[in-house]
Amino acid sequence: MERPIHWGIIGPGKIARKFAADLERTPGGRLHAVASRSEERARAFAEQYGAPHAFGDYRELASCPDLDVVYIASPHSEHAEHALFCLQNGLAVLGEKPLAVNRAQAETLVNAAREHQVFLMEALWSRFIPSLEKTMQLIQTGRIGRVVGVKADFGFRAPFDPESRLWNPALAGGALLDIGIYPFFLAQLILGQHQGMQVAGRLALTGVDEEVAAILTYPGGEIAQLHASLRAHTKTEAFIYGELGTLYLQSRWHHASRLSLLPDGGRPELFHFDLGGYGYNFEIIEVQRCLRDNKLESSHWPWQASLDLLTTLDDVRRQLGVVYPGESI
């Protein structure tokens, strides 16, 4: 029997708790170490999820014996720094989205992964959710004909707190990088790289975006309509329009358990999916598969996909005028 893959977690917050719970349910891996700025917090998290090692300093994690891969769940502003020192110490990385704040940072991570021959993947869990895998299969088998458009939204009302991760520019806050990344990801996955983009948005008092909308156009005439908001609860649905029908990813589409195929002139088909937990288990399975196969990147969400997505997000922020401290885009 193969030894379980030993996982570490940097940043034991809300998302990390869901990830750790799904890791417990996923064969082939186990939580081995946790790192936080607070050793007390790290120990409490480690005890809850059965990890034998806890650290009160992020960098100490890199010296943990028998550690294979690290899940980066710290604030957006810290993703690149934490991923980089893991890669430089030979540790594989699953970095929570966005992989970095901007493309330049992400290129540094990709170069480090290539130099040190270490696996790296952005934790865009939606790419591996069964409903989205089924969506791709239905498109590829021609069930809705040629795709002509994508429409997707993601919004919730977030109380304004200038020091919180959603609103603080020092933490790379804003709607775009937190939830807007999902609609833009979907458009890229389905339609590829856009040709043109028009962006509208509204900035919060802290200077981060609290709402963003975009229309993207593509060389074949396709159109994507995308929207993200921290000001209002939206339906958080996604539609993929084809010449022969529509695919409807029901709310919340980024980890949907229900998918509808709506053929023109035909009877609708409804597909149901069991996430088996929160849904992080599917990206965990992908990472573990890649590590056992000695892959440096996933063919389902490769490095170039993350770089292309951040290129788009950089352009969106450029049009909105959102620049984080210490960067120029």
Side-chain angles (χ1 to χ4, degrees), residues 183-193 218 301 304-310 312:
F184 282 92
F185 146 76
L186 184 66
Q188 177 178 305
L189 182 67
I190 304 297
L191 298 175
Q193 286 303 101
Y218 297 82
W301 191 248
Q304 191 60 51
S306 294
L307 294 175
D308 290 344
L309 184 55
L310 275 166
T312 299

Side-chain angles (χ1 to χ4, degrees), residues 138-148 240-245:
L138 292 170
I139 291 172
Q140 291 162 4
T141 55
R143 294 295 301 276
I144 62 169
R146 189 179 78 86
V147 175
V148 298
I240 297 96
Y241 301 111
E243 291 180 334
L244 302 178

Side-chain angles (χ1 to χ4, degrees), residues 73-94:
S74 48
H76 298 161
S77 54
E78 310 301 316
H79 286 180
E81 178 186 348
H82 294 159
L84 184 59
F85 75 70
C86 287
L87 294 169
Q88 290 172 337
N89 282 276
L91 293 171
V93 167
L94 174 64

Side-chain angles (χ1 to χ4, degrees), residues 163-180:
E163 299 302 317
S164 75
R165 67 174 188 85
L166 290 176
W167 302 101
N168 189 344
L171 299 177
L176 181 66
L177 294 193
D178 192 66
I179 54 177

Side-chain angles (χ1 to χ4, degrees), residues 87-124:
L87 294 169
Q88 290 172 337
N89 282 276
L91 293 171
V93 167
L94 174 64
E96 189 52 68
K97 56 80 188 164
L99 182 62
V101 167
N102 53 49
R103 175 168 177 141
Q105 289 184 356
E107 286 178 339
T108 298
L109 298 183
V110 168
N111 291 336
R114 185 179 291 115
E115 177 186 353
H116 295 279
Q117 291 292 286
V118 183
F119 177 83
L120 168 68
M121 190 179 88
E122 183 176 21
L124 253 167

Side-chain angles (χ1 to χ4, degrees), residues 154-160 166-167 174-175 179 200-204 208-212 227-234:
F154 195 152
F156 63 92
R157 184 169 179 80
F160 181 72
L166 290 176
W167 302 101
I179 54 177
R202 175 186 170 97
L203 302 188
V208 304
D209 58 291
E210 61 182 14
E211 188 160 21
V212 58
H227 177 222
S229 177
L230 297 178
R231 302 173 64 202
H233 290 281
T234 71

Side-chain angles (χ1 to χ4, degrees), residues 9 14-26 31 45 48-49 276-281 284:
I9 291 179
K14 182 179 179 180
I15 293 177
R17 290 186 180 278
K18 293 181 178 180
F19 184 91
D22 275 358
L23 179 58
E24 287 182 326
R25 304 181 182 103
T26 306
L31 186 59
F45 191 100
Q48 181 177 356
Y49 294 102
Y278 293 106
Y280 297 94
N281 42 317
I284 291 171

Side-chain angles (χ1 to χ4, degrees), residues 111 151 172 182 187:
N111 291 336
K151 183 178 181 181
Y182 290 109

